Amino acid sequence: MVQSNQRHSEEAVYIYEAPLRIWHWINALAIVVLCVTGYFMGEPLPSVSGEAYDYYIMGYIRWMHFVAGYVVIVGFLFRIYWAFMGNRHAMQIFLIPVWKGWWWKELFHELLWYAMIAKEPKKYAGHNPLAVLTMHLAFVWVLIFLIFTGLALYGEGTGMGTWQYDYFSDWIIPLFGQSQDLHTWHRIGMWVMICFVITHMYVAVREDIMSRQSIISSIVSGWRMYKDSRPMDGHE
């Protein structure tokens, strides 16, 4: 019988601080509520028998959408604040080091890794370059777009003289042509966000299995666990 002399080793790095983890899960829940209620606002439920005031289903759906929207707005403002107040990993999705040669090199490696071409994953204390780029474009900017267009649409209901109308509706709706056009673009933004969430979940599960480092549990505990002794490759 041949005995293996290889030893299993683990190391851990504290990455995601508690405020960031709390924001992540509250924001995730709010986005789910926004997507579900937003879908039904665009594709209303069939009529129900009886008087509307006995049910008020669409009214509750709209109310949930607006509440979840404000939760996302407040949470996003906090997330920007924490990017400056938290540790160095908190700034990653906002500031991409595109001026660094190593960043492009490692981005290319991640593309090969996700395409099943590269044989070995790299170890990162935080997000890898491809994850940073994806979250910056498909999450940060799409979320900003949804917040601005959502407030512009909400301002139609609050009316002239309200801050939602004066700061958002007054210039955003004409920019897109008219209200119905803005509704369409806001809905497209919702589908982009849904695609991002699906990809985000797939990649987290994939990396947790294939890259020999914890991904899913990291956003729960804050600790990134590395299941071997390979040196750290990331530069963040």
Side-chain angles (χ1 to χ4, degrees):
M1 181 180 295
V2 179
Q3 295 183 348
S4 174
N5 293 322
Q6 293 182 342
R7 293 184 302 174
H8 175 74
S9 62
E10 290 188 0
E11 57 178 315
V13 178
Y14 188 64
I15 299 174
Y16 304 119
E17 298 165 296
L20 192 149
R21 302 197 309 271
I22 294 171
W23 165 81
H24 175 275
W25 292 112
I26 293 176
N27 188 68
L29 177 60
I31 287 177
V32 170
V33 173
L34 281 169
C35 290
V36 173
T37 55
Y39 175 82
F40 284 120
M41 287 169 67
E43 299 287 339
L45 294 167
S47 299
V48 294
S49 59
E51 295 294 334
Y53 61 77
D54 290 330
Y55 299 94
Y56 199 59
I57 295 177
M58 290 305 302
Y60 289 128
I61 289 176
R62 283 168 53 84
W63 177 80
M64 292 172 63
H65 191 80
F66 299 151
V67 170
Y70 277 111
V71 169
V72 166
I73 292 170
V74 173
F76 189 67
L77 292 175
F78 166 79
R79 183 63 181 85
I80 295 174
Y81 163 80
W82 196 254
F84 295 94
M85 299 303 296
N87 61 22
R88 61 193 179 97
H89 304 293
M91 179 65 75
Q92 275 191 300
I93 65 173
F94 294 99
L95 184 62
I96 305 177
V98 294
W99 59 89
K100 301 287 189 179
W102 61 260
W103 186 85
W104 290 101
K105 181 180 178 180
E106 293 185 2
L107 175 66
F108 182 68
H109 176 272
E110 290 304 308
L111 289 171
L112 296 179
W113 167 246
Y114 283 105
M116 307 292 185
I117 297 174
K119 295 181 179 180
E120 285 291 330
K122 290 190 175 185
K123 293 168 61 176
Y124 294 93
H127 301 299
N128 67 62
L130 183 58
V132 171
L133 180 63
T134 303
M135 283 189 277
H136 182 78
L137 297 177
F139 174 73
V140 173
W141 285 108
V142 171
L143 192 62
I144 292 173
F145 175 82
L146 288 170
I147 288 173
F148 272 65
T149 55
L151 285 172
L153 293 170
Y154 187 72
E156 286 189 297
T158 58
M160 298 177 64
T162 62
W163 66 269
Q164 295 95 337
Y165 186 92
D166 293 340
Y167 291 117
F168 296 95
S169 306
D170 195 36
W171 64 275
I172 292 179
I173 293 178
L175 182 65
F176 284 84
Q178 43 123 353
S179 176
Q180 190 55 49
D181 293 331
L182 187 58
H183 275 279
T184 300
W185 281 105
H186 188 70
R187 196 168 179 82
I188 290 173
M190 178 196 75
W191 285 111
V192 173
M193 182 61 70
I194 290 174
C195 291
F196 165 78
V197 170
I198 293 173
T199 304
H200 182 62
M201 294 172 64
Y202 160 74
V203 169
V205 174
R206 178 189 186 275
E207 289 300 280
D208 217 307
I209 296 172
M210 298 183 62
S211 68
R212 300 193 294 277
Q213 52 192 314
S214 65
I215 302 296
I216 299 174
S217 61
S218 297
I219 201 63
V220 177
S221 67
W223 290 87
R224 173 67 51 79
M225 303 293 295
Y226 303 96
K227 303 170 186 177
D228 59 40
S229 57
R230 290 175 299 125
M232 190 77 67
D233 294 300
H235 290 76
E236 74 271 29

